Each structure stands twice: as structure tokens, then as C-alpha cells.
Amino acid sequence: MSHTAEVRAPGVRQAQKQRTRRALLDAALELLAEQSLGSLGLREVTRAAGVAPAAFYRHFRDIPDLGVALVDEALGSLHGTIRTALAATLPTAGRAAGPRGGGDRRIDAASDERIEAAVELIATLVREYPAHVRFIAREQHGGVAAVRAAITGQLALFAAEVADALAAAPESAGWRRADLLMLAGLYVDHMVMTASALLAAGPEEAGRVQVVRVARQRMRLISLGRRHWLD
């Protein structure tokens, strides 16, 4: 083997390894469109990926391990999008000054704009990553404990990040950390629920309109509750 070939070989092998891993993950996601992870077979995945069963064990210990990798990929790759969607619902300033009632009206208008932006971002997430959303929605309460725990851990991380953002807002003066985490959890749960509902609604416009309407109402309710929590 020439010196050039010796240098390139590790890179070629690594690229092939990454392609095989990608093929396994993609095959699993496609198969999981019609079934749960608990019913998924190793040979079923490798056959769909076009690789030998032995190749599976070079990347994953078992099917639950593959499921955890899908969680990391799904929520990890969507982390920025989800954080943006959640941040869009958070007030960035205190109550506006002005005549009695005028500040509240300005806040309500700004809140409606944030709600519209957040719902649209969630809808975009569902359009662009339907397989990932479907997987998370199905396995969040599924039968594979390791995958449930991985999803719970990722969502808890999102909630902690949102709580940090909430803590920096003027409206959060006097709030306890536990209350901020509770509110952050409401935002996260609502995001997941809305994404799942949009996915279930399918392409039917009427169904999606109804999901969006309910999502807006629930976000307004959360926003109203936050504003008066310490009253």
C-alpha cells in the first residue's frame, strides 16, 4: 500500500462507518412510522438498511440503544429550533408605561405576536421533521424504559434552559426557582403536545386550523397565569 493510501484508509473507513450508522438510523425511523420501537426487530432494521446483521453491533448494543441514539439525534438536532419556539413565547420586558389599561393592551398585542411566532415555528418543525416528531410522540410513553428516560432527560434539559430565560425577565422578580421550572415545564409540555396534535391532524386543513386555534388559546392562558401568579 502506498503512503497516500495508508493516510486515506482511516478516513475512508470512518466515512463508511458513518454511512452505515446513518443508514441504520434512517431505516429505523422509516420503519417506526408504522410501529413502536418495542416491536422493532434488529434483522428488520438491518434488512431495510441494506447491511449485514453483524454490522449493527459495530454501532449499537441493541434496539433500545439505537432508540436512545434516535432520541439524541431527534431532540439534539431540533434543540435550537425548539429553544427558539419556546423563547418566542417569553416576554422580554416588563409592563409598558402609559394610561391605565394602555400598557396591558400593548402587552396583549405583543403577547399575541409571540404566540403566533411560536405556533408557526412548531408547525414548521412538524413539517420539516415529521419522522422525528412522530418517534418522540410515540415513545415518550412507550414500552422501552431507556428511551422513555432519554426523552424525559432531554425535555427536562429544555425546561431548565427555559427557566433560566424566564428568570432573567422582569416579570419573574420574586419567583422561586421551583415555580420557574413549573412554568417552563408548561411551555415544554405544550410544545410537545401541539407538535403531536399537528402531526396527528395530517394534511387536512380543517384539522390543522383547529389544532393551531387551541394551541394559541392555551398559550394565552399560560401567559395570563404567569402575569398574575404572584398577585
Side-chain angles (χ1 to χ4, degrees), residues 101-117 220 223 227:
D104 282 348
R105 284 194 294 272
R106 283 191 289 273
I107 286 176
D108 289 340
S111 178
D112 284 347
E113 290 178 4
R114 287 191 297 268
I115 288 170
E116 290 294 331
R220 289 191 182 102
S223 179
R227 190 184 306 172

Side-chain angles (χ1 to χ4, degrees), residues 16-150:
Q16 180 58 48
K17 184 177 181 180
Q18 289 302 316
R19 284 194 294 271
T20 300
R21 188 177 192 276
R22 179 74 264 152
L24 289 166
L25 291 170
D26 288 345
L29 269 179
E30 185 173 350
L31 291 166
L32 288 169
E34 304 296 336
Q35 61 184 301
S36 67
L37 187 69
S39 66
L40 192 64
L42 185 152
R43 289 184 177 276
E44 187 179 9
V45 174
T46 55
R47 183 166 56 249
V51 302
F56 181 93
Y57 295 106
R58 300 191 190 104
H59 303 273
F60 309 105
R61 293 188 302 275
D62 48 27
I63 289 294
D65 189 42
L66 179 146
V68 171
L70 283 173
V71 172
D72 291 342
E73 176 179 88
L75 294 179
S77 65
L78 302 181
H79 203 89
T81 302
I82 292 172
R83 189 164 55 239
T84 299
L86 293 170
T89 72
L90 305 180
T92 56
R95 289 184 177 230
R100 182 177 179 83
D104 282 348
R105 284 194 294 272
R106 283 191 289 273
I107 286 176
D108 289 340
S111 178
D112 284 347
E113 290 178 4
R114 287 191 297 268
I115 288 170
E116 290 294 331
V119 173
E120 177 55 34
L121 281 168
I122 294 169
T124 299
L125 182 154
V126 173
R127 286 195 300 270
E128 294 183 355
Y129 304 98
H132 290 90
V133 173
R134 184 181 297 108
F135 169 71
I136 295 298
R138 177 176 288 157
E139 300 302 328
Q140 184 179 8
H141 305 292
V144 181
V147 173
R148 289 200 313 271

Side-chain angles (χ1 to χ4, degrees), residues 196-231:
S196 299
L198 282 169
L199 188 66
E204 294 296 328
E205 184 65 21
R208 296 179 68 84
V209 168
Q210 173 66 8
V211 170
V212 167
R213 185 182 68 81
V214 172
R216 290 175 183 143
Q217 291 175 334
R218 287 174 175 162
M219 281 193 174
R220 289 191 182 102
L221 184 59
I222 294 172
S223 179
L224 180 64
R226 183 199 179 192
R227 190 184 306 172
H228 298 286
W229 179 247
L230 297 181
D231 289 354

